[in-house]
Amino acid sequence: MSQAAFPHLFSPITIGPLTLRNRIVSTGHETHLNDKGQIGDRMIAYHEARARGGAGLIMTEVALVHSSAVFVADPIRVDTDACIPGYARLAEVVHGHGTGLIAQLFHPGREMLASEDGTAPVSYSASATPNERFHVMPRPMTPEMIAEVIAAYGDAAVRMQKAGLDGVEIVASHGYLPAQFLNPQVNHREDDYGGSLDNRTRFIRDIAVDIRAKTGADFVIGLRLSGNELSHDGVDLEEMLCACDRIASDAVIDYFSVAAGSSATLAGSVHIAPPMFEEVGYTAPLGQAIRDRTGVTTIVTGRLNQPQDAEQVIASGQADLCGMTRAMICDPDMADKARSGRAEDIRACIGCNQACIGHFHDGYPISCIQNPVSGRELQFGAPALVSDKRRIMVVGGGPGGMKAAAAAAERGHEVALFERDAQLGGQARLAQLLPHRAEFGGIITNLTREMELAGVEVHKGIDVTENAIRTIAPDAVIVATGATPRWPDFEGRDEAHVVDAWQVLQGQANPGKSVVVADWRADWIGIGLAERLALNGHRVRLAVNGYMPGQTIQMYVRDASIGRLHELGVEMLPYVRLFGADGDSVYLQHLMSNEAVICEEVDTLVLCQGHTPSTAVEDLVRRMGLEHHLVGDCIAPRTAEEAVLEGLRAGRAV
Ligand SMILES: Cc1cc2nc3c(=O)[nH]c(=O)nc-3n(C[C@H](O)[C@H](O)[C@H](O)COP(=O)(O)OP(=O)(O)OC[C@H]3O[C@@H](n4cnc5c(N)ncnc54)[C@H](O)[C@@H]3O)c2cc1C
Ligand SMILES: Cc1cc2nc3c(=O)[nH]c(=O)nc-3n(C[C@H](O)[C@H](O)[C@H](O)COP(=O)(O)O)c2cc1C
Ligand code: SF4
């Protein structure tokens, strides 16, 4: 499949004064790659990779227009001229690859995650309406402050114009300040900015008019909004259509960028970066409704991770352009691969949210569990070809081993990978069996393709022993043998009916009607098994050694899972450790008081107690005195992200 296979996706489009080569957009996303609040080398390298890879348009991440807008510890600011040189360098680089560049202008209003020094900041909104998710009570903005903030958007737009960008985007999506003015449940003002639709859209319209007055006609002005905030007190599609209609009638906005959800609630925030359980392109009907109603150029974004799906959205008239943001975090060359007939080589995003938005929430630079080079462009660069070709043996065909093999072969080594099982994938094969996690298996498909392209020799069904290593006589061994379920010692282990998570997933256990899932890692496994067993009709109690189920995983994935567990009637017991079990009870201990918490009438105890590294091959190669490199869970059981990153490092090191 080539450009010809995606005729709509690869047709040029003009937005105001800007003509784009295709319809593929990297929508704004925080990267934590800024350099003391300014755009520096790391962020330029990051966006350059997407521009070089064929993106039609890039939006830079939310940037603060006003001092009252600081909402994270290290924000990018566009409220002084100090921002101009960084944006100018970025614009030159991105334009050099034929890609458009638009800056997001941002004020969070009451959506305050953090401050620069750890104190609780004062936040401002249309009215003093508390925020459910961040527990923030904002101050209502005075008319003078409203005027100052509106002017700040216009001044920031002028800076972007001076820096050579093609335009700006007002971020009115996800319940941020402009959306707070729109929402009658948040905005209770009785002045010109509250009440009627005309008044509630005035803040946005005044910002757009101020920007236009200060930048002129030759500058794109876009508006990002949530077609439906999908929250109990959010703006729904009908209300949003009326607002868009009114905003469009001023004829100042050049495009609408349509997403879904709201930062203000746990349920709404899931849609900021919709996880794999949301359907591909599920926001497209919202885009279509807004486009049909207003006739304004529309970008639609949400789980469009493959060109086939984006082509369909555009061909069917649901949108004019498609945001494919995580698609390009995961594979910056996605657009070029689709254009040049290499669509099957695209490393498709699997919507896991771990290293992109997961890193953001943890305060770390962006990356991708499947593409560790993402966000580390300066660190890794292009792979250097080797002059001395070596024979590399990789033991283990899980994510770590597969990445290591591909990375080593890509550099020109002769690489053979050996996997004990009949299929590749390691633990990822189990991960994809959990409810709503089937797409996780995409990591296996993608890495298998990476190995094929790099020319790795794959041997399945071979348990690597000393003999096998001697026969191959490798110059170096990469050990990626992973881990197996950990069975801790506890009282009554042999009396009770005890099984582990892998046995349940592999259909090798026969859990009774009433089960306790004892979850130590508080990750996907305990939460997923509880859901699986509840769906199968078991009574499930999920005992978590932590604050809550899914404590260690990305919050949108966790929150949605907890919602499903609640609906299924799973009893969740946080703050407990496994202590013991017998024929019909499981004994837990409260983490703080050490008091007993007893679960009675239990048929089966399901262990989700983490993993134990498989070190037999490591011990062997050490004894044989061979050069070896360790990768992934066999070093210490963690996640696919570390396995793939360490695989890349090992493949680059041999
Ligand atoms: C149910 C479940 C859900 C999970 N969900 C997630 C998730 O959502 N996100 C995430 O990031 N992580 C998840 N994980 C963890 C993740 O899958 C692992 O961290 C990751 O697979 C580790 O990769 P690895 O390559 O180091 O080891 P493994 O995936 O364990 O692969 C090791 C491979 O080595 C093979 N092997 C071992 N010894 C030999 C030998 N002597 N000869 C030949 N082959 C050998 C094994 O058969 C295995 O295939 C999950 C794990 C499980 C069990
Ligand atoms: C790491 C990360 C950070 C994000 N930050 C922003 C942001 O700064 N501004 C914004 O409008 N949306 C932000 N988003 C939402 C994305 O623009 C996009 O709507 C979302 O990733 C869904 O699109 P996708 O399925 O194509 O990835 C962010 C998403 C991610 C993954
Ligand atoms: S970390 Fe997961 S969700 Fe994020 S870009 Fe990579 S594959 Fe997609």
Side-chain angles (χ1 to χ4, degrees), residues 115-413:
S115 68
E116 282 170 305
D117 70 354
T119 59
V122 176
S123 77
Y124 295 86
S125 184
S127 301
T129 310
N131 164 286
E132 183 175 284
R133 179 164 165 231
F134 300 116
H135 310 278
V136 165
M137 175 58 90
R139 275 174 75 84
M141 290 168 75
T142 60
E144 295 72 28
M145 187 178 183
I146 290 177
E148 188 180 309
V149 170
I150 289 170
Y153 277 92
D155 295 344
V158 170
R159 293 184 190 106
M160 297 300 104
Q161 193 173 37
K162 281 189 184 151
L165 274 78
D166 302 301
V168 292
E169 180 175 278
I170 304 160
V171 182
S173 57
H174 303 118
Y176 299 121
L177 182 63
Q180 290 157 34
F181 274 87
L182 271 185
N183 186 345
Q185 306 209 58
V186 177
N187 179 352
H188 302 126
R189 299 181 76 92
E190 292 177 352
D191 60 6
D192 287 352
Y193 289 95
S196 67
L197 178 71
D198 222 37
N199 282 355
R200 283 183 288 108
T201 54
R202 191 180 307 283
F203 185 66
I204 291 174
R205 293 186 292 113
D206 284 0
I207 291 171
V209 166
D210 191 66
I211 296 173
R212 183 62 79 214
K214 288 174 178 165
T215 59
D218 275 352
F219 198 59
V220 177
I221 305 177
L223 182 69
R224 190 157 216 221
L225 47 85
S226 293
N228 189 334
E229 290 186 349
L230 298 170
S231 297
H232 68 283
D233 59 356
V235 174
D236 65 16
L237 176 61
E238 219 20 71
E239 290 170 301
M240 197 53 87
L241 285 173
C242 298
C244 288
D245 222 6
R246 178 63 192 91
I247 293 165
S249 70
D250 287 350
V252 181
I253 296 289
D254 293 305
Y255 71 84
F256 289 124
S257 173
V258 179
S262 168
S263 159
T265 62
L266 292 183
S269 60
V270 166
H271 302 277
I272 295 175
M276 62 178 81
F277 48 77
E278 296 295 348
E279 253 178 62
V280 164
Y282 75 113
T283 55
L286 303 174
Q288 172 153 39
I290 290 171
R291 184 174 184 260
D292 289 351
R293 179 79 157 255
T294 63
V296 173
T297 301
T298 299
I299 306 173
V300 93
T301 306
R303 291 270 289 135
L304 292 168
N305 59 357
Q306 286 280 26
Q308 293 85 343
D309 302 313
E311 172 69 19
Q312 185 56 33
V313 166
I314 296 172
S316 63
Q318 290 178 298
D320 301 286
L321 300 100
C322 286
M324 302 186 74
T325 305
R326 284 170 298 172
M328 289 186 282
I329 297 174
C330 188
D331 191 342
D333 297 321
M334 186 273 299
D336 259 359
K337 286 179 180 173
R339 190 188 49 77
S340 61
R342 292 180 293 138
E344 65 279 18
D345 299 349
I346 292 170
R347 184 192 303 113
C349 163
I350 56 174
C352 70
N353 276 3
Q354 290 176 228
C356 50
I357 195 102
H359 276 205
F360 168 72
H361 284 131
D362 291 344
Y364 298 112
I366 193 163
S367 193
C368 170
I369 73 162
Q370 299 193 77
N371 177 21
V373 178
S374 202
R376 299 186 180 96
E377 284 76 10
L378 294 179
Q379 200 178 317
F380 282 110
L385 290 180
V386 291
S387 47
D388 57 332
K389 186 173 178 147
R390 307 172 79 203
R391 180 146 178 81
I392 310 297
M393 180 177 192
V394 179
V395 188
M402 288 198 281
K403 185 68 191 181
E410 204 183 19
R411 293 177 51 229
H413 288 305

Side-chain angles (χ1 to χ4, degrees), residues 354 396 400 419-420 426-427 437 463-464 482 524 633 638-640:
Q354 290 176 228
E419 166 54 48
R420 179 163 55 194
Q427 293 171 61
R437 305 291 294 169
D463 193 353
V464 169
W524 312 270
D633 274 14
R638 286 153 297 156
T639 75

Side-chain angles (χ1 to χ4, degrees), residues 12 33 50 81 107 137 153 169 249 309 323-324 387 410 424-425 430 433 480 486 551 589 644:
L33 291 175
R50 277 87 202 150
D81 287 355
H107 195 305
M137 175 58 90
Y153 277 92
E169 180 175 278
S249 70
D309 302 313
M324 302 186 74
S387 47
E410 204 183 19
L424 294 171
L430 297 174
L433 298 177
R486 182 177 77 99
Q551 181 189 323
Q589 212 178 25
V644 171

Side-chain angles (χ1 to χ4, degrees), residues 276 350 352 354 369 394-403 417-434 437 440 443 459 461-465 479-485 501-502 505 521 523-526 529 553 557 611 614-617 620 631-644 646:
M276 62 178 81
I350 56 174
C352 70
Q354 290 176 228
I369 73 162
V394 179
V395 188
M402 288 198 281
K403 185 68 191 181
L417 177 142
F418 295 82
E419 166 54 48
R420 179 163 55 194
D421 285 347
Q423 287 168 23
L424 294 171
Q427 293 171 61
R429 283 177 47 223
L430 297 174
Q432 67 183 343
L433 298 177
L434 293 170
R437 305 291 294 169
F440 198 81
I443 195 172
H459 304 268
I462 295 186
D463 193 353
V464 169
T465 56
V479 182
T481 47
T484 53
W502 290 29
L505 284 170
R521 270 293 295 270
D523 64 4
W524 312 270
I525 305 178
L529 268 187
I553 65 177
V557 176
H611 297 107
S614 303
T615 53
V617 175
L620 194 58
V631 165
D633 274 14
C634 71
I635 308 175
R638 286 153 297 156
T639 75
E641 178 182 357
E642 293 78 21
V644 171
E646 289 161 8

